[in-house]
Amino acid sequence: MVNLPPFALDHWLSAHDFATPPIAYNLASSTGPRWSVGEIAALGDAPLDLTDTVLSYAPPQGSAPLRRAIAAFHGADPDHVVATTGASEALSILFCLAAEPAANIVVPDPGYPAYEAVAQAWGLATRAYRLERADGFTQRVEAILAEVDAGTRLVILNTPHNPTGSVMPRGEIETLAAALAARGVPLLVDEVYHPLYFGAPQPSAAGIPNVIVTSDLSKALSLPGLRTGWLIDADAERRARIIDARSYFTISASPLLERLAAHALTHASAILDRLEAVAGVNIALLDELMAGSRGKLAWVRPQGGTTAFPWLADGRDSRSFCQTLASAGVLLAPGDCFGHPAHMRLGFAQQTDGFDFAVGRIADALAAL
């Protein structure tokens, strides 16, 4: 019997964001500003008409228009793209294909909690490389390679990183991928927050030898309700196995969702413009919050993505602080959901209105500590 641990992060989010009434200011979310179906369909010169969509199956690898749109977004070959039901299915497929006795994968710590839980459900051990806050949560090639051993079948790099916002430059990704290739280990680059960067923009890792890229519409593209993700893999043999696995897991996506997804990707610049505008204004407000916290709250300013991972400077567990804020209508995610109790995840890209008010409530709660 597979024993999946309780998904503490989703339990916390669901208890508040889906409550009646829902939380007023959701700063725990890791997505961008919300869009309606009508707003997405209206993008471009020719609004999307979905009324002629046949509700049959889609190809297991995804429709050709969707794969072309994904490829254009990453600067990749459409033949290398496999659509999935969110990035979560992409991860599960890769873990399934990597599973064998005594095998392990290497994951970041802190990191997205599902990496470890789902890998272990497939029978894979996990080895973690630590992102140290004293080092700016930098993801270092040597620290990652130090965790690779004879049983390693996959290494995961998440850049921009959830929850810290750190970014590994492309040149270092190339160095890491080449070093892993010499050991026969593929590098999975999770790019769900690409291309939101607060410094120099960075191209996708798609096309780097020995790299598999996974991403989705949920995070930087702000459309989690479309449940559309993908893998980009130049290895034709492994890609065929991925498509077979997708056929077994979910058969295909909905043609309706795939048409919406392809349309959204075709007009990704409009979606990203809105994301960058909201994130830019809100991260400036966080700068002010941190500067005015009188040393009670510390952080490493994110280099990319939609989340930060601040911590209470006195080292106390943040859960009670997050509970106090939730009672005041402001939702943060306590750090124990990521195995780091003094921290909290703070999302700054979904809340288009009232972020300044929410930050004020955080400042008031800090003053009362």
Side-chain angles (χ1 to χ4, degrees), residues 264-290:
L265 281 161
T266 300
H267 301 286
S269 60
I271 296 172
L272 293 170
D273 285 348
R274 184 179 176 197
L275 171 72
E276 290 169 0
V278 172
V281 169
N282 290 352
I283 199 170
L285 291 169
L286 291 183
D287 286 330
E288 295 175 9
L289 172 69
M290 299 300 167

Side-chain angles (χ1 to χ4, degrees), residues 66 69 217 223 226 228 256-266:
L66 175 60
L217 290 181
L223 300 170
L226 288 184
T228 301
L256 188 66
L257 298 183
E258 288 204 349
R259 286 192 67 189
L260 271 168
H263 185 75
L265 281 161
T266 300

Side-chain angles (χ1 to χ4, degrees), residues 11-334:
H11 288 185
W12 173 264
L13 298 175
S14 297
H16 296 89
D17 202 26
F18 298 115
T20 303
I23 200 83
Y25 303 101
N26 186 351
L27 275 57
S29 173
S30 57
T31 68
R34 291 176 172 173
W35 292 77
S36 70
V37 172
E39 288 172 328
I40 292 298
L43 291 175
D45 296 330
L48 178 65
D49 181 1
L50 297 168
T51 57
D52 62 346
T53 305
V54 177
L55 298 179
S56 182
Y57 292 109
Q61 69 270 33
S63 68
L66 175 60
R67 288 186 291 112
R68 285 195 298 268
I70 292 168
F73 184 72
H74 288 273
D77 185 332
D79 289 340
H80 296 172
V81 175
V82 179
T84 59
T85 305
S88 56
E89 185 185 30
L91 292 172
S92 195
I93 286 172
L94 291 173
F95 296 165
C96 171
L97 297 182
E100 59 182 66
N104 69 73
I105 67 167
V106 175
V107 301
D109 174 28
Y112 180 48
Y115 291 152
E116 184 172 17
V118 176
Q120 291 178 359
W122 283 108
L124 290 159
T126 53
R127 297 170 62 88
Y129 59 94
R130 186 69 175 255
L131 280 62
E132 301 289 351
R133 68 190 187 198
D135 191 31
F137 297 120
T138 302
Q139 302 175 82
R140 297 201 177 277
V141 171
E142 60 272 18
I144 298 171
L145 292 175
E147 297 301 328
V148 176
D149 65 11
T152 302
R153 297 294 175 265
L154 186 69
V155 171
I156 298 180
L157 173 70
N158 176 206
T159 180
H161 178 259
N162 175 16
T164 71
S166 69
V167 170
M168 179 179 273
R170 182 183 174 91
E172 293 182 30
I173 298 174
E174 292 171 344
T175 298
L176 176 60
L180 290 171
R183 305 185 190 195
V185 178
L187 174 63
L188 171 61
V189 180
D190 180 344
E191 287 191 345
V192 293
Y193 292 101
H194 173 80
L196 181 60
Y197 301 96
F198 302 116
Q202 181 162 308
S204 170
I208 297 175
N210 195 44
V211 163
I212 306 166
V213 164
T214 187
S215 190
D216 63 19
L217 290 181
S218 299
K219 304 301 185 183
L221 287 164
S222 312
L223 300 170
L226 288 184
R227 305 309 308 134
T228 301
W230 53 85
L231 287 157
I232 303 174
D233 189 356
D235 186 314
E237 181 180 351
R238 185 169 54 220
R239 198 167 62 247
R241 296 175 66 213
I242 289 168
I243 293 170
D244 274 340
R246 207 284 168 103
S247 297
Y248 280 118
F249 282 14
T250 54
I251 303 176
S252 76
S254 158
L256 188 66
L257 298 183
E258 288 204 349
R259 286 192 67 189
L260 271 168
H263 185 75
L265 281 161
T266 300
H267 301 286
S269 60
I271 296 172
L272 293 170
D273 285 348
R274 184 179 176 197
L275 171 72
E276 290 169 0
V278 172
V281 169
N282 290 352
I283 199 170
L285 291 169
L286 291 183
D287 286 330
E288 295 175 9
L289 172 69
M290 299 300 167
S293 72
R294 298 184 178 180
K296 292 183 178 181
L297 191 63
W299 76 333
V300 174
R301 195 180 197 272
Q303 298 171 299
T306 65
T307 63
F309 204 45
W311 62 93
L312 294 172
D314 62 7
R316 77 176 74 185
D317 190 315
S318 73
R319 181 165 280 265
S320 63
F321 181 73
C322 292
Q323 288 170 335
T324 296
L325 282 169
S327 298
V330 178
L331 192 65
L332 306 180

